[in-house]
Amino acid sequence: MPGIKEIKISKLTFLILLITITVSCQKNESNSFIKIHALPNAVHEISGIAKLANDRLYAINDSGNDNTLFAISDEGKIVKKIKIKGAKNIDWEDLAYDQENNIYIGDFGNNYNDRKDLRIYKVSGVLSDSISVSKIEFVFEDQHKFPPKKKNFNFDVEAFIYLNGSLYLFTKNRSSKFTGTTKLYKLPALAGKHEAQLIGSYNTCDDPDDCFITGATINQSRNKIVLLTYNKLFVLSDFTQDNLFDSSIEKIKLNHYSQKEGICFKNDSTLYITDEKMKHKKAGLYEYRFDQ
């Protein structure tokens, strides 16, 4: 039978082991999401990012800023500024891209749910410096009042992706009685006027401070979609139909709260994420690694 000293030593050893395991787990979890660079003041209201075949990040600012597309290096430095001629920044909120290295600029920020001029700019020739721009205009098939009643404020968009010739939009729910429901719309990635078709919906969570969908991205393999909030990721996989929510959905908490609005894949196992400037803290560029 062990003596009193042996029991105390045994308990102490167990506590040390438990603390070591706990700290190790917390370290691994925090290492999945790391800040890699502060961003220049020119993109202090960064609202969307995309990575093209030249491995450069491209970024935009949201409302109150001009019609500039920024090329950013891996070190977080601005290496080029591209004016998008014929495009006005009413409220640019996200970027998408296709396999032909076209960039799509979502001018669909709609805080008050009263806009009748929602549009997406398709920008071609970014890599060749031979820029051409076309306009995709749209309305929501289920919006009949501008604005609707406050309990139905779910026509703001800050996130979209390109997939198989179509654009898929995810709403940022601003309803007075917040339920965390984001709606999914589809429209063709073609110039002209279109009606965005309501495809489905998904309840993220019921915390209005942490459940707004603020960005979206799809990987190069086209088999994984990630939706962004200020502190969470929703990872969609195994989707086969238009209703992308008919899929496996994993919720990941980042344990880092900030105004995150930009997201894109660096590669199939790593995400780039950006947040906006807040008070004295500059906008930041982060990485999230799935394999940790």
Side-chain angles (χ1 to χ4, degrees), residues 46-285:
I46 188 168
S47 59
I49 56 175
K51 187 173 82 73
L52 297 187
N54 60 353
D55 286 331
R56 287 270 167 80
L57 278 176
Y58 290 84
I60 52 171
N61 286 315
D62 59 18
S63 60
N65 295 279
D66 64 13
N67 58 336
T68 301
L69 178 68
F70 299 88
I72 299 176
S73 69
D74 287 342
E75 291 75 35
K77 306 296 184 182
I78 295 173
V79 295
K80 192 171 187 179
K81 297 180 181 181
I82 305 168
K83 290 287 187 180
I84 308 302
K85 294 182 179 179
K88 184 179 180 180
N89 184 350
I90 296 177
D91 196 354
W92 290 6
E93 288 291 357
D94 202 10
L95 292 178
Y97 71 96
D98 60 26
Q99 291 90 334
E100 304 300 322
N101 290 300
N102 298 305
I103 279 184
Y104 298 83
I105 301 174
D107 186 4
F108 41 43
N110 191 16
N111 291 6
Y112 301 104
N113 283 232
D114 58 354
R115 284 187 64 180
K116 295 182 179 180
D117 57 352
L118 302 170
R119 61 189 62 133
I120 295 165
Y121 295 105
K122 180 180 178 180
V123 183
S124 304
V126 174
L127 301 188
S128 64
D129 291 328
S130 180
I131 302 293
S132 63
V133 182
S134 58
K135 191 188 315 183
I136 302 166
E137 300 175 280
F138 69 96
V139 295
F140 297 107
E141 69 168 357
D142 58 334
Q143 182 172 10
H144 308 294
K145 293 184 178 180
F146 300 84
K149 293 181 178 179
K150 289 186 177 180
K151 66 179 181 180
N152 297 321
F153 265 39
N154 202 0
F155 298 100
D156 184 21
V157 179
E158 293 193 5
F160 76 138
I161 62 165
Y162 172 96
L163 178 62
N164 298 330
S166 296
L167 298 167
Y168 292 85
L169 284 60
F170 304 86
T171 63
K172 181 178 183 180
N173 193 326
R174 295 183 178 275
S175 301
S176 55
K177 293 183 179 179
F178 185 77
T179 62
T181 300
T182 179
K183 294 194 292 184
L184 171 64
Y185 291 88
K186 176 186 176 183
L187 70 154
L190 299 171
K193 297 184 178 181
H194 305 281
E195 188 174 77
Q197 180 185 2
L198 179 61
I199 299 297
S201 64
Y202 175 72
N203 289 336
T204 56
C205 47
D206 58 6
D207 180 359
D209 291 326
D210 195 23
C211 302
F212 292 130
I213 299 299
T214 59
T217 188
I218 186 169
N219 64 348
Q220 287 282 357
S221 302
R222 300 312 206 205
N223 60 7
K224 185 181 292 184
I225 295 168
V226 182
L227 306 181
L228 176 69
T229 77
Y230 293 157
N231 189 32
K232 292 184 179 69
L233 303 174
F234 293 88
V235 184
L236 285 58
S237 57
D238 300 324
F239 44 85
T240 58
Q241 305 296 328
D242 277 342
N243 189 353
L244 303 174
F245 293 127
D246 287 341
S247 60
S248 298
I249 301 179
E250 178 186 6
K251 183 189 299 185
I252 299 172
K253 193 167 184 178
L254 297 174
N255 295 314
H256 180 279
Y257 186 89
S258 63
Q259 192 169 339
K260 301 176 185 69
E261 295 194 7
I263 186 170
C264 69
F265 276 91
K266 178 181 180 180
N267 52 53
D268 274 4
S269 62
T270 306
L271 292 165
Y272 281 129
I273 295 172
T274 59
D275 61 8
E276 293 191 5
K277 179 180 179 180
M278 294 183 69
K279 296 183 179 179
H280 301 296
K281 185 181 77 67
K282 285 190 171 184
L285 176 63

Side-chain angles (χ1 to χ4, degrees), residues 26-40:
Q26 290 175 344
K27 184 178 180 182
N28 287 338
E29 184 177 351
S30 63
N31 281 351
S32 295
F33 181 76
I34 58 172
K35 185 173 183 176
I36 55 176
H37 296 292
L39 292 173

